[in-house]
Amino acid sequence: MTENTQTPSSPTSELPTTYAPAEVEGKLYERWVERGYFEADAKSEKPAYTIVIPPPNVTGSLHLGHAFQHTLMDALTRRKRMQGYESLWLPGMDHAGIATQNKVEQQLAEEGKSRHDLGREEFTDRVWKWKEEYGGKILGQMRRLGDGVDWSRERFTMDEGLSKAVQTIFKRLYDDELIYRAERIINWCPRCLTAISDIEVEYQDDAGELVSIRYGEGEDSLVVATTRAETMLGDTAVAVHPDDERYAHLIGKQIKLPLTDRTIPVVADTHVDPEFGTGAVKVTPAHDPNDFAIGQRHDLQSLTVMDEHGVITVHGPFLGLDRFEARSAIVGALREQGRIVAEKRPYMHSVGHCSRCKTTVEPRLSMQWWVKVGPLAQAAGDAVRDGRVKIHPEDMSKRYFDWVDNMHDWCISRQLWWGHRIPIWYGPEGQVVCVGPDEQPPAGEGWRQDPDVLDTWFSSGLWPFSTLGWPERTPDLEKFYATDVLLTGHDIIFFWVARMMMFGLYAMDGVAPFHTIALTGLVRDEFGKKMSKSNPNAVDPLDWMDKYGSDAVRFTLAKGANPGADVPIGEDWVQASSKFANKIWNATRFALMNGATIEGELPPVERLSATDRWILSRLNKTVAQVDAYYEDYQFSKLSEALYHFAWDEVFDWYVELSKTTFFAGGEQAKVSGRVLGEVIDVMLRLLHPVVPFVTETLWTTLTGGESLVIADWPKDSGFRDEAAEAEIASVQSVITEVRRFRKEQGLQDGQKVPARLELGATALGAHEAAIRQLLRLQPEGDSFSATATLPVAGGTVALDLSGTIDVAAERKRLTKDLGAAEKEKQQAEAKLGNEAFIAKAPDNVVDKIKGRLAKAEADIARLQAQLDGLPAA
């Protein structure tokens, strides 16, 4: 099953009596990196397995969401490396345009300066210095978590190679007429002073006001309602539905726009819903996307009435007012003129906010650069539809299609100084020239480069291939593209996943950037609430690592990772995982002290005890089960399977059942010692991708091997022994039943009780010594008196409880419990026998009652057997 290496002498002497993660983890990680275990070789003949990390922002630090996804990615790549793949997990960071620029601007503000005081060149130099000093904090924290990334290939979205990739793809898209410049309504942040894309707008319900205003005079008047009264200064029409008879006489007429000396037309447009409000809407083409579309259809003028700071730029009385100040002032002026028909405060409505600074977003007409996404989005959808790319879990595909099938053209220009400068030059005669990475920009008087930079997601959308050397056909690109799996949160399908799909298919001749998109949920607190600094329920994973170790944090996160589902996590669960790590440590030390070894081949089957055959059968089933769960990205199930195999089957059963063998010594002890060594060897290999530190320390001590990072992944040998599994299941049943009885009698765990085991001719007889030891059952002796007899699998266990329990009181207690169980059975049978109830009750309710009936019947049988086993009064 595994390769064998010589066991070092006295291995437990190398292991402290207790596991101290802080003394192990940092040294181990640095040794892994120094030895180059995580570095991938493009010249290797091994099959490639590639994951690119979702590049964290250069401004970021490790949070639980990062730790969660990194744990899963690390587990995948560690396992594939052990399986013989040339495994590449490529790290790097995103320059995070708006977020990083904001950080530096905040620094300047503390100095009483703005970026304009420095100028563009000096400001960008300042940002680069900030990046070198403060950026990448998260990369050091990734080491702490144990991320097995190839640090030799670390990339940054603004390094030289990636900058060349950005220029190259911009040029190609421009030449293919898939990038264009146009004046359209965009989302504008008056704080960040830049356009932001639809997906960077966060909507929340705000308490505003809904004001109804009368436009026009007398019969030639109508009422419009708005939550943004300040924009009325830019109205260039009122729109009604063409079939709305209430306003048929006004269509085509001019009406007076209040507070101005302008008249505006009433236009008919099918976009207007006659059933909503008054059926008339104000049209402000320069400050609303729907109004802009109406304006295009009716050739309306677009009047911009606010500057980039959200300050009013027209109409004397309101000139210079902030948009919110203007709102109040305009409503007041309209009220004085008697034009306010109705006011509703507070009026809860959905309002867009900048995801970076939380400022209320202002729709604004602006000249920007756009990607024509139609053909790119079509290709991205087709790649999933035709099976080239799998989305896991499959039910998440709908969200993906909802996005790519309805995607609007993407505004890619940002009015920032930090980022990839748009490679467009404008000439003195109106020339527009797009310059590729190997081309010289036009020179001469009057030529200037576009001042804007590209959206951060434009460069990160190239990440799966730009990090491998594209546009050059590098050995890395040939070996490691397409990547195998993108593991990321379902919340950035729109931000990042779709961008990478569009660009990867376009740039790489129809080859999608990954074979599988494995979507995770979000980490939440133990009550299922979103983690937030404002709650406050946010947790710094480093605090938990300091307290419990990185393995404990990793195992907790993996154990909660069901595909696509959110992951609740609490400190108690991390503490439980820490206990698991300690259990692995202590049990392995015990095994080593009692002869566990991997020296030599496994003994032939005929030399193995039933207990040995049972654990080897369970071991191979666990290997097969864990492999299947990995292939299906079922991290929670594989972690649970490993937890129960290690704790329950290996430590709580096999080690305990084998103690009599080990203590007796001799040839059978050597056989079981070799079996135990095999089991622990394979178990540590299976656990290693999720809990790498404690397993590495124990495995190298057990085997003398170099490192688990480069060890072989276990294979299912095919060995199964159903008979041995059934036999040990019977032993477990006997022990479990007697333990439960002892507990019910209030006996202490270590209290010894005389007992007679009548196990007949069954295989249980071979386990009598182990059963007695685990149950603290003494030989019966001459004065033995059976005061309780328990029917067990394959026989009976008679116990002498004289002097330990009050028989009369015990009979009374059991009789009471039996009566309650019989009553529960009668109630369940009555409900299940009621045809009217069964016809109406949901299936889950019926199933629950059936479960109650089954439990009641089992309780009756158990309690009756215990009563029968008590001596007569």
Side-chain angles (χ1 to χ4, degrees):
M1 183 180 297
T2 61
E3 82 280 4
N4 298 316
T5 52
Q6 184 70 29
T7 306
S9 60
S10 304
T12 50
S13 64
E14 301 177 22
L15 293 173
T17 54
T18 57
Y19 178 52
E23 297 176 12
V24 170
E25 294 176 348
K27 295 175 184 177
L28 262 188
Y29 187 83
E30 291 310 314
R31 187 173 76 191
W32 291 335
V33 173
E34 288 169 6
R35 294 183 178 182
Y37 292 154
F38 304 138
E39 294 181 14
D41 183 1
K43 297 178 182 178
S44 169
E45 294 183 1
K46 296 178 183 178
Y49 183 81
T50 316
I51 294 180
V52 289
I53 202 166
N57 287 352
V58 70
T59 59
S61 60
L62 191 74
H63 56 65
L64 273 175
H66 288 126
F68 169 54
Q69 291 180 0
H70 288 206
T71 294
L72 306 188
M73 286 184 277
D74 195 34
L76 290 172
T77 50
R78 283 179 182 269
R79 171 175 174 263
K80 285 295 183 180
R81 188 179 293 111
M82 295 173 74
Q83 286 183 312
Y85 287 79
E86 197 62 36
S87 191
L88 171 61
W89 186 19
L90 195 149
M93 293 181 297
D94 193 300
H95 65 279
I98 296 176
T100 307
Q101 179 158 320
N102 280 347
K103 289 281 187 183
V104 178
E105 289 198 83
Q106 288 167 12
Q107 279 189 342
L108 288 174
E110 292 172 4
E111 301 170 14
K113 298 177 182 178
S114 74
R115 59 174 161 142
H116 300 284
D117 294 323
L118 273 65
R120 184 168 195 142
E121 185 174 347
E122 188 177 344
F123 176 77
T124 52
D125 286 345
R126 178 80 174 250
V127 182
W128 276 108
K129 289 177 182 176
W130 183 93
K131 184 259 181 187
E132 294 304 320
E133 185 174 355
Y134 298 102
K137 177 182 178 183
I138 194 172
L139 298 180
Q141 296 168 336
M142 286 164 56
R143 302 170 88 94
R144 179 71 187 283
L145 186 66
D147 284 7
V149 295
D150 185 346
W151 292 109
S152 71
R153 285 178 165 85
E154 180 189 337
R155 304 305 298 270
F156 179 54
T157 50
M158 283 184 63
D159 66 26
E160 184 177 351
L162 271 64
S163 295
K164 182 177 182 179
V166 168
Q167 279 189 272
T168 300
I169 202 161
F170 187 100
K171 172 73 171 174
R172 291 187 187 179
L173 289 165
Y174 181 85
D175 290 346
D176 287 344
E177 298 183 349
L178 293 173
I179 282 182
Y180 63 94
R181 192 173 187 235
E183 189 176 43
R184 292 185 177 179
I185 293 286
I186 47 90
N187 302 295
W188 181 264
C189 176
R191 160 62 185 80
C192 298
L193 297 179
T194 182
I196 58 176
S197 65
D198 292 343
I199 53 179
E200 292 172 301
V201 179
E202 295 177 348
Y203 288 91
Q204 66 184 47
D205 285 341
D206 285 359
E209 59 182 356
L210 180 67
V211 181
S212 298
I213 309 167
R214 182 173 298 280
Y215 283 24
E217 306 293 342
E219 293 184 358
D220 291 346
S221 69
L222 38 67
V223 175
V224 300
T226 181
T227 58
R228 301 169 65 218
E230 68 279 9
T231 64
M232 69 166 291
L233 300 177
D235 286 358
T236 55
V238 173
V240 297
H241 194 277
D243 299 331
D244 193 334
E245 294 181 358
R246 292 172 296 175
Y247 304 115
H249 67 290
L250 289 176
I251 295 174
K253 287 189 175 182
Q254 296 281 328
I255 61 171
K256 182 75 164 47
L257 178 64
L259 304 182
T260 73
D261 55 4
R262 293 191 291 116
T263 60
I264 56 176
V266 177
V267 299
D269 196 282
T270 55
H271 171 76
V272 179
D273 179 2
E275 302 299 323
F276 183 78
T278 64
V281 297
K282 59 192 288 299
V283 181
T284 320
H287 293 277
D288 184 274
N290 293 323
D291 293 3
F292 179 77
I294 294 174
Q296 294 283 294
R297 288 193 289 272
H298 297 277
D299 197 25
L300 300 176
Q301 185 181 7
S302 295
L303 296 179
T304 300
V305 298
M306 275 179 264
D307 66 13
E308 62 271 23
H309 297 279
V311 172
I312 301 298
T313 59
V314 297
H315 205 73
F318 312 109
L319 182 66
L321 292 181
D322 171 81
R323 54 186 168 155
F324 300 117
E325 296 173 334
R327 181 179 299 174
S328 177
I330 286 170
V331 170
L334 290 168
R335 191 182 296 113
E336 287 180 7
Q337 291 187 4
R339 291 192 172 274
I340 300 296
V341 176
E343 297 178 68
K344 185 175 182 180
R345 297 188 186 87
Y347 178 72
M348 301 302 297
H349 63 129
S350 182
V351 177
H353 296 260
C354 173
S355 63
R356 303 295 182 185
C357 70
K358 312 308 176 187
T359 300
T360 300
V361 167
E362 190 65 41
R364 189 167 189 261
L365 185 63
S366 181
M367 183 69 76
Q368 301 286 343
W369 285 95
W370 305 80
V371 171
K372 187 185 294 182
V373 300
L376 302 174
Q378 176 70 42
D382 290 346
V384 175
R385 288 189 175 91
D386 63 25
R388 280 175 287 159
V389 177
K390 305 289 186 186
I391 292 182
H392 190 279
E394 191 175 351
D395 58 10
M396 284 283 180
S397 298
K398 184 180 184 301
R399 294 188 65 186
Y400 176 79
F401 290 131
D402 285 346
W403 179 252
V404 298
D405 292 347
N406 300 286
M407 194 182 295
H408 300 297
D409 283 1
W410 172 19
C411 176
I412 56 172
S413 45
R414 297 291 180 269
Q415 289 64 57
L416 305 171
W417 288 355
W418 172 246
H420 293 281
R421 189 88 173 262
I422 289 178
I424 293 288
W425 269 256
Y426 304 107
E429 305 299 327
Q431 305 99 313
V432 178
V433 176
C434 181
V435 178
D438 300 318
E439 300 172 350
Q440 291 297 318
E445 188 176 346
W447 283 94
R448 60 183 179 86
Q449 186 178 359
D450 193 297
D452 291 349
V453 299
L454 289 163
D455 179 10
T456 289
W457 298 103
F458 190 94
S459 51
S460 59
L462 314 181
W463 190 254
F465 51 95
S466 63
T467 53
L468 297 173
W470 188 90
E472 307 301 328
R473 301 300 298 191
T474 63
D476 275 3
L477 193 66
E478 296 289 345
K479 178 73 175 180
F480 297 112
Y481 188 91
T483 68
D484 286 86
V485 60
L486 171 72
L487 192 144
T488 190
H490 61 64
D491 56 324
I492 60 171
I493 288 179
F494 323 119
F495 287 93
W496 192 45
V497 179
R499 311 297 195 213
M500 287 189 291
M501 284 287 284
M502 291 192 301
F503 282 164
L505 290 160
Y506 173 78
M508 298 300 294
D509 302 319
V511 179
F514 16 75
H515 304 306
T516 301
I517 302 168
L519 297 170
T520 70
L522 308 179
V523 177
R524 297 184 178 274
D525 71 12
E526 58 193 304
F527 305 107
K529 293 181 180 179
K530 182 178 179 181
M531 286 194 174
S532 166
K533 291 180 181 178
S534 59
N535 272 353
N537 61 353
V539 174
D540 184 344
L542 294 175
D543 291 341
W544 282 350
M545 289 183 212
D546 288 341
K547 196 169 182 181
Y548 303 109
S550 297
D551 282 336
V553 174
R554 289 170 62 113
F555 192 73
T556 305
L557 291 165
K559 203 175 178 188
N562 289 301
D566 287 348
V567 183
I569 185 172
E571 186 170 359
D572 289 349
W573 304 343
V574 182
Q575 188 175 23
S577 294
S578 175
K579 290 179 180 178
F580 179 52
N582 288 326
K583 181 75 170 180
I584 297 170
W585 183 272
N586 294 331
T588 301
R589 285 191 81 255
F590 172 85
L592 290 169
M593 291 168 62
N594 287 276
T597 179
I598 64 162
E599 185 176 359
E601 297 296 323
L602 274 174
V605 173
E606 57 268 20
R607 293 180 58 196
L608 303 179
S609 69
T611 310
D612 294 335
R613 297 196 308 276
W614 163 74
I615 196 62
L616 289 175
S617 184
R618 291 296 310 133
L619 175 68
N620 279 283
K621 285 184 178 180
T622 300
V623 171
Q625 190 177 42
V626 168
D627 276 336
Y629 286 146
Y630 261 115
E631 296 305 315
D632 199 34
Y633 303 99
Q634 297 279 359
F635 296 98
S636 177
K637 290 182 178 179
L638 73 87
S639 299
E640 288 283 354
L642 288 169
Y643 177 88
H644 290 296
F645 176 73
W647 194 304
D648 300 343
E649 296 184 302
V650 178
F651 302 143
D652 280 359
W653 284 112
Y654 180 73
V655 169
E656 294 298 320
L657 288 171
S658 300
K659 278 183 178 178
T660 53
T661 302
F662 290 133
F663 293 160
E667 190 59 31
Q668 192 57 48
K670 292 180 180 179
V671 169
S672 292
R674 177 65 186 89
V675 170
L676 181 55
E678 180 77 7
V679 170
I680 291 180
D681 174 16
V682 174
M683 179 195 73
L684 293 174
R685 293 171 193 254
L686 291 173
L687 281 164
H688 176 73
V690 180
V691 284
F693 295 107
V694 66
T695 53
E696 172 86 340
T697 307
L698 293 171
W699 185 85
T700 52
T701 303
L702 169 70
T703 68
E706 181 181 345
S707 174
L708 262 178
V709 180
I710 55 172
D712 290 340
W713 181 254
K715 293 181 180 178
D716 174 11
S717 71
F719 177 79
R720 302 287 190 275
D721 194 325
E722 301 300 337
E725 291 198 40
E727 182 175 327
I728 300 305
S730 295
V731 174
Q732 292 171 324
S733 175
V734 170
I735 294 171
T736 301
E737 186 63 30
V738 177
R739 278 177 173 167
R740 180 167 58 183
F741 181 78
R742 287 177 59 106
K743 185 176 182 181
E744 289 172 346
Q745 307 312 310
L747 299 178
Q748 297 299 316
D749 290 341
Q751 187 173 351
K752 295 181 178 180
V753 177
R756 177 190 302 130
L757 274 61
E758 297 177 349
L759 303 177
T762 67
L764 281 172
H767 301 278
E768 181 169 339
I771 292 172
R772 283 187 176 278
Q773 179 176 331
L774 291 177
L775 291 173
R776 305 293 191 270
L777 301 180
Q778 293 178 315
E780 53 195 272
D782 295 335
S783 60
F784 180 81
S785 173
T787 59
T789 302
L790 299 177
V792 295
T796 60
V797 175
L799 304 173
D800 183 355
L801 302 178
S802 56
T804 62
I805 65 168
D806 183 333
V807 174
E810 178 60 14
R811 183 177 293 280
K812 182 178 180 180
R813 184 186 71 80
L814 290 173
T815 301
K816 180 181 177 181
D817 290 347
L818 180 61
E822 288 173 337
K823 183 177 180 181
E824 174 73 4
K825 177 186 175 185
Q826 291 170 1
Q827 291 176 342
E829 287 177 333
K831 285 190 176 181
L832 293 173
N834 185 333
E835 294 182 2
F837 172 78
I838 294 297
K840 294 180 180 179
D843 291 345
N844 65 316
V845 173
V846 174
D847 290 342
K848 187 175 181 180
I849 295 172
K850 288 179 178 177
R852 285 169 49 194
L853 176 60
K855 183 179 183 303
E857 290 174 339
D859 287 344
I860 290 169
R862 175 177 57 82
L863 293 165
Q864 188 62 59
Q866 291 178 12
L867 275 169
D868 293 343
L870 291 174

